[in-house]
Every structure is written in structure tokens, then in C-alpha cells.
Amino acid sequence: RINQFPLVILNSAINLKQNYVISYLLKLADELNSFYEKEIIIKGEPKEIRYKLIFIYYLKNILELGFHLLNIKPKKELHYPMS
């Protein structure tokens, strides 16, 4: 799915459909969340940890670029009310 980002942006621009980018980013965020739930990021061989961190960093950059193209400013932190 990661390598589809340029094509999604191109199709979105050609067809004037922001929802292509939004749907792609939602699916990508869901996959990142699933990966993060299954993997212990800082556990394993140093090379494996490095690959996991690079993968997460790459996904973060794609999400940030997608938000920028949609003129969305994501919050850096979420604050939940205390019950």
C-alpha cells in the first residue's frame, strides 16, 4: 500500500477527488495501528529494530504529506478528559 501514494495523489488531482487521498490515509493509518499493536518496536536484533523504526518513520512522513496536501493540521497530542 505504501508505494501507491504517488498514484493516489495523481488520481485525486486528475479527478478532483479529495476522498481518494482521505480513504488512502485512513487505510494507511489503520495498517500502521495494526502493525504497532502486533510488533514490539524496540525488541529484537538491532538491524530489525532499525528496519521497524525506518518503516514507522516513512509511514509518518506519508501521513504528514497527505495531511498537508489536504490542508489538515493534525494535533501533536490528544488530551482526554478525566472521568
Side-chain angles (χ1 to χ4, degrees):
R1 184 170 311 273
I2 296 170
N3 61 351
Q4 296 173 344
F5 184 65
L7 185 58
V8 170
I9 298 302
L10 179 63
N11 284 333
S12 178
I14 290 171
N15 296 300
L16 300 174
K17 299 279 189 177
Q18 288 181 336
N19 64 305
Y20 293 174
V21 178
I22 294 167
S23 294
Y24 173 83
L25 293 177
L26 284 171
K27 290 175 186 172
L28 190 65
D30 187 49
E31 289 178 9
L32 175 57
N33 188 49
S34 294
F35 173 78
Y36 199 75
E37 284 180 352
K38 293 175 188 172
E39 291 291 328
I40 300 173
I41 305 303
I42 57 172
K43 188 173 186 181
E45 297 294 320
K47 191 174 187 179
E48 181 184 357
I49 293 169
R50 187 171 43 245
Y51 287 143
K52 290 177 191 178
L53 292 172
I54 290 169
F55 177 68
I56 290 170
Y57 181 77
Y58 188 67
L59 291 178
K60 178 185 102 38
N61 287 339
I62 290 174
L63 289 168
E64 285 179 351
L65 179 56
F67 291 150
H68 175 74
L69 293 172
L70 294 168
N71 199 28
I72 296 172
K73 294 173 182 59
K75 293 198 177 272
K76 294 294 181 186
E77 295 180 24
L78 295 177
H79 298 281
Y80 298 100
M82 299 296 244
S83 302

